[in-house]
Amino acid sequence: MGALAIYPGSFDPVTNGHLDIIERAAGIFSKVIVAVAPNPLKRSELFSVEERISFLNEVCSKWTNVEVDSFTGLLVEYAIGKGANIIIRGLRFVSDFEFEFQMALMNRRQAPSIETVFLMTGAEHSYLSSSLVKEVAALGGNVEGLVPDIVLKSMLKKLQKKGS
Ligand code: PNS
């Protein structure tokens, strides 16, 4: 599909569920911009925006049509500035739907020319979220295979530092 799509999120940190969505999107759209946004509503930030971008740059380098960026302010304004008319969001459970529906409709009200497209994660990633991964890792649980290896290493290092 000859369209530029924005895949926005907190990505704190990127999980294998996000990568699954990026891969699907890269197969559909001519270009995908993965856009990191600080989310002021989320208080448990572990990685800085720069760190999140650096992880994403590393793990997305295998897709030639995927670019990593960050933005502040309104998502639709960022999308319009980039010349994109598609916003991608991943859907896991029905429970995601209510919030995602609200966001999509609010974004449409702000910018009717931009369409939100939902992609379903693979079943093996359906329970995965950055918050859950951080919580389990912080409590000493095993999150291997749920996040890219570079993220796993940095997360364990960071959590060790926090704990000491
Ligand atoms: O990964 P997340 O935390 O679910 O991503 C949420 C995100 C960053 C996509 C959302 O908070 C967002 O769009 N932030 C930018 C500010 C904005 O446009 N807010 C209005 C959304 S209707």
Side-chain angles (χ1 to χ4, degrees), residues 7-12 18 35-42 71-77 87 89 92 99-100 102-107 110 130:
Y7 178 35
S10 307
F11 302 107
D12 182 32
H18 294 129
V36 179
N39 188 339
L41 299 178
K42 289 189 177 171
F71 72 99
T72 51
L74 274 185
L75 168 60
V76 288
E77 279 177 8
I87 290 171
R89 292 288 288 171
R92 293 163 301 189
F99 177 60
E100 293 298 335
Q102 265 184 323
M103 276 213 302
L105 290 183
M106 181 57 92
N107 283 332
Q110 307 297 318
S130 301

Side-chain angles (χ1 to χ4, degrees), residues 41-90:
L41 299 178
K42 289 189 177 171
R43 280 166 294 140
S44 58
E45 293 200 337
L46 183 63
F47 292 105
S48 69
V49 169
E50 291 70 28
E51 287 172 314
R52 296 179 222 172
I53 290 174
S54 142
F55 295 143
L56 278 163
N57 268 326
E58 184 144 349
V59 294
C60 291
S61 61
K62 60 181 165 180
W63 296 295
T64 52
N65 62 337
V66 175
E67 193 183 298
V68 180
D69 194 13
S70 66
F71 72 99
T72 51
L74 274 185
L75 168 60
V76 288
E77 279 177 8
Y78 170 75
I80 289 168
K82 285 281 169 187
N85 57 349
I86 307 272
I87 290 171
I88 296 165
R89 292 288 288 171

Side-chain angles (χ1 to χ4, degrees), residues 64 69 83 90 115 128 147:
T64 52
D69 194 13
E115 206 59 64
L128 206 50
V147 290

Side-chain angles (χ1 to χ4, degrees), residues 1 22 29 33 52 119 121:
M1 215 182 281
I22 295 169
F29 301 102
I33 301 178
R52 296 179 222 172
L119 296 180
T121 47

